[in-house]
Amino acid sequence: MSNRTTPADAARYEAIRQIGCLACRKRGLDSPAEVHHLNLGGHAGMKRRGNEFTIGLCAHHHRDDPGPSSRRTMEQIYGPSLAGASKRFRAEFGSDAELLALQNELIGDC
């Protein structure tokens, strides 16, 4: 697996950004997305699975970034973040496999 971004990777990342955050989408909200690379074992710090194993998450859901709001307010509105509460995030929004399947379906609809 190469760390190089191919034209196919770039196209995937652009589609992910256009679709927006999957977790927000599941709550009926629309938020810009950052590209999140899924890891082996689903734990931070583990090896990335590859560029095709990517999903879109907003800054809150991806990095637990509350922006100008408090974390408590963000969680009340947007739900748990993957970085701050991964078990609760997956319980509400789905497993890595479920989110990846949804992302791939939405990219296919673009």
Side-chain angles (χ1 to χ4, degrees):
M1 174 177 45
S2 169
N3 289 333
R4 194 173 136 271
T5 302
T6 67
D9 296 334
R12 178 180 180 82
Y13 298 164
E14 181 57 30
I16 286 170
R17 288 184 196 97
Q18 287 179 14
I19 291 164
C21 176
L22 295 182
C24 287
R25 184 183 193 98
K26 286 187 163 219
R27 282 199 159 206
L29 304 167
D30 184 27
S31 296
E34 302 173 344
V35 175
H36 170 67
H37 287 79
L38 299 173
N39 298 325
L40 293 171
H43 301 290
M46 300 295 286
K47 185 176 179 179
R48 289 182 174 184
R49 293 172 61 191
N51 293 338
E52 65 275 17
F53 295 94
T54 48
I55 62 172
L57 297 175
C58 67
H60 165 68
H61 287 116
H62 188 202
R63 298 181 281 111
D64 198 25
D65 181 349
S69 300
S70 71
R71 282 190 169 82
R72 182 177 181 178
T73 298
M74 290 300 286
E75 188 162 329
Q76 287 172 341
I77 297 168
Y78 296 95
S81 75
L82 181 60
S86 62
K87 286 182 183 180
R88 287 189 301 120
F89 175 89
R90 288 185 174 97
E92 180 168 340
F93 299 115
S95 68
D96 287 0
E98 291 167 330
L99 290 170
L100 182 61
L102 174 60
Q103 186 71 77
N104 289 339
E105 177 183 327
L106 293 170
I107 288 172
D109 291 343
C110 284

